[in-house]
Amino acid sequence: MSSPTHANSYYAFSANDKTLRPTLTGEHRCDVCVVGAGFTGISTALSLAEKGKKVIVVEGSRIGFGASGRNGGQIVNSFNRDIDYIFKNYGDDIGHKMAKMAFAGSELIRHRIEKYNIDCDLKHGNVFAACNPKQFEELKAKKALWESHGHDELELLTASSIQDHIGSDRYAGGLLDRKGGHIQPLNLVLGQAKAFEALGGQIFEDSEVVRLEQGVPGKVVTKQGTVIADKIVVAGNAYVFGLLPEVEKKAMPCGTQVIATEPLPEDLQKQLLPTDRCVEDCNYLLDYYRLSGDGRLIYGGGTTYGARDPGKIESIIVPKMLKTYPMLKDVKIDFAWTGNFLLTMMRMPQVGKIGENLYYAQGYSGHGVTNSHLMGEILSDAIDGDTERFDVFASMPQYQFPGGRMLRVPYTAIGAAYYNLRDQLGI
């Protein structure tokens, strides 16, 4: 029987730890069992271990196998729906509480990297790039909004000054967030997993969960073993696969595609991204890119609804890259991969509790790097008895996509095409 492997990505190629943890066999007992070893699961487990809890993590494939080990590696603040939307749609009380958490995920990531000396190519600062004047006006509003909630490390960039950060004439301006940044995401989750294990935690890989048995205690059952736990956390995101059917009805797996070039000469790196910030544009179907620790351009974009893997990733992403950087037409592409993230109808995380002791969190809708780390701490606090922040997320309603499982993909794709057309027209 072959061992599970990561996608053939640059991140897997440059992973610091390629050790396969054991498969779960027999019966184990713990305070908390976490299902899923991505950012949410490992962040939760590490936070619980710091509190002295006995925790076991069960992973169906490898640590960081899903979106946590395949994403664009960008530390982007706030949520998919920004603070003003939350105030408008959920009221002042939830709005103020969510605003206090909007920048906490990036702070937690930096704290963990420093505390546990995690080698993950951390670089500071991200740029939101406006593709047209309308988007630039929206970035002005974002700056004012975030500053009104205490974020004081933002700089508006004109069409001229953005070229100090991006060697392309595509953009009408931008916004630099110095509290943003970028990392090698797989090494970030692997580093936290190592810290968790150093605190006595156990991780079992190649141990797909086939059944959850609710009760006090609950049971997490795999093909070869069982974990009996006082509390269970389901943190599989787009890879839950039927464990929480009622929750899964309100979310949809989506794919995004990424490429990594060969290592680039230093002068070309400076031409592309002079200040080594990461970039995401403001389009509905956005492009995002950055330089890796060894000088590759990592460029991503495109969304496939329903998590279908496109046949030729390069044919989707290379034209996007060349539109931004025509000078890269002869550069070799060393890696191309795709991975699933989870989209919710409301574009806000799904967080909740089922019965007395089963917790779940998922559906970060493209803001998973920061939101998942924050959620791990929030879940840990809730399990330890402090439910204040958990209750804020859990109180926010979630709805099914229109059309049910059969029609949610085409309906969502039609909506995306509409917003993409608006971006192209600048309206």
Side-chain angles (χ1 to χ4, degrees):
M1 183 176 178
S2 61
S3 298
T5 59
H6 284 282
N8 184 29
S9 68
Y10 164 70
Y11 301 138
F13 167 78
S14 59
N16 293 331
D17 180 1
K18 300 184 181 182
T19 306
L20 177 65
R21 272 66 172 183
T23 299
L24 180 75
T25 58
E27 185 174 282
H28 300 255
R29 185 71 168 83
C30 64
D31 298 324
V32 184
C33 181
V34 177
V35 179
F39 283 148
T40 302
I42 294 298
S43 179
T44 304
L46 177 55
S47 187
L48 286 166
E50 290 173 336
K51 291 178 169 70
K53 303 291 186 183
K54 182 179 180 181
V55 184
I56 292 174
V57 177
V58 180
E59 164 59 45
S61 186
R62 302 295 303 275
I63 296 168
F65 172 80
S68 301
R70 308 192 203 189
N71 62 77
Q74 301 207 13
I75 301 171
V76 179
N77 280 300
S78 194
F79 311 99
N80 182 295
R81 299 297 196 188
D82 214 341
I83 300 168
D84 54 344
Y85 176 94
I86 295 169
F87 269 92
K88 180 179 178 181
N89 288 273
Y90 299 102
D92 288 354
D93 182 53
I94 288 180
H96 285 295
K97 291 174 180 176
M98 291 290 289
K100 290 180 180 178
M101 294 185 274
F103 314 111
S106 63
E107 294 170 0
L108 178 59
I109 289 169
R110 286 182 171 83
H111 169 73
R112 291 255 177 90
I113 291 171
E114 182 178 358
K115 180 177 181 178
Y116 295 110
N117 194 28
I118 298 173
D119 178 12
C120 60
D121 298 331
L122 172 64
K123 301 179 184 181
H124 300 288
N126 74 285
V127 174
F128 300 100
C131 298
N132 55 57
K134 176 178 177 288
Q135 292 178 357
F136 185 53
E137 292 302 314
E138 291 169 348
L139 288 178
K140 290 181 182 178
K142 179 189 285 289
K143 180 175 183 289
L145 174 69
W146 284 11
E147 287 177 340
S148 72
H149 292 283
H151 191 336
D152 58 359
E153 295 186 44
L154 300 165
E155 179 185 346
L156 200 64
L157 305 172
T158 66
S160 175
S161 63
I162 197 173
Q163 294 186 30
D164 294 337
H165 302 278
I166 306 172
S168 175
D169 60 3
R170 282 191 66 183
Y171 303 113
L175 180 65
L176 169 62
D177 178 6
R178 291 185 175 84
K179 286 187 177 179
H182 52 117
I183 37 82
Q184 206 277 34
L186 182 55
N187 280 336
L188 175 58
V189 71
L190 287 168
Q192 291 176 91
K194 181 180 178 181
F196 165 66
E197 291 172 321
L199 292 173
Q202 292 178 282
I203 302 173
F204 294 96
E205 295 182 299
D206 192 17
S207 302
E208 182 180 352
V209 175
V210 296
R211 189 171 73 255
L212 298 174
E213 295 183 8
Q214 293 189 49
V216 183
K219 288 185 179 181
V220 175
V221 182
T222 70
K223 290 180 180 179
Q224 299 182 57
T226 300
V227 179
I228 300 172
D230 297 329
K231 304 286 175 65
I232 297 171
V233 175
V234 177
N237 207 41
Y239 296 84
V240 170
F241 300 141
L243 292 180
L244 300 176
E246 291 305 311
V247 177
E248 292 175 58
K249 289 179 181 178
K250 300 174 183 178
M252 177 171 60
C254 298
T256 185
Q257 295 79 50
V258 191
I259 60 173
T261 69
E262 63 186 333
L264 303 175
E266 190 171 336
D267 59 342
L268 182 54
Q269 295 177 45
K270 287 290 186 183
Q271 184 182 354
L272 302 179
L273 291 164
T275 56
D276 208 3
R277 317 289 193 182
C278 62
V279 179
E280 68 170 56
D281 69 34
C282 298
N283 287 335
Y284 187 84
L285 299 177
L286 56 84
D287 287 6
Y288 50 90
Y289 50 94
R290 65 189 187 87
L291 290 170
S292 68
D294 61 353
R296 304 168 187 269
L297 184 68
I298 297 177
Y299 204 107
T303 299
T304 53
Y305 297 101
R308 296 172 293 103
D309 287 348
K312 189 68 172 174
I313 296 167
E314 293 96 322
S315 67
I316 297 172
I317 304 302
V318 169
K320 295 174 179 290
M321 179 183 75
L322 295 181
K323 186 175 180 180
T324 306
Y325 294 124
M327 70 285 283
L328 297 181
K329 60 183 177 65
D330 295 323
V331 166
K332 181 174 178 286
I333 305 302
D334 277 353
F335 299 94
W337 68 94
T338 187
N340 296 340
F341 65 96
L342 197 64
L343 188 73
T344 67
M345 179 65 184
M346 302 304 291
R347 306 301 195 268
M348 293 298 293
Q350 286 180 314
V351 180
K353 183 180 178 183
I354 300 173
E356 294 186 53
N357 63 344
L358 193 155
Y359 298 78
Y360 63 87
Q362 61 180 33
Y364 306 111
S365 303
H367 276 60
V369 175
T370 51
N371 288 184
S372 59
H373 282 84
L374 170 65
M375 199 54 61
E377 192 175 62
I378 290 172
L379 287 168
S380 169
D381 287 347
I383 289 168
D384 201 40
D386 179 2
T387 64
E388 182 179 0
R389 293 190 295 175
F390 176 88
D391 289 342
V392 175
F393 280 96
S395 70
M396 302 169 77
Q398 292 286 348
Y399 303 104
Q400 294 188 37
F401 283 87
R405 297 185 71 88
M406 291 294 293
L407 297 177
R408 65 183 183 178
V409 171
Y411 280 3
T412 305
I414 290 169
Y418 167 75
Y419 286 109
N420 184 54
L421 179 60
R422 287 176 62 90
D423 286 332
Q424 302 310 310
L425 297 175
I427 59 175

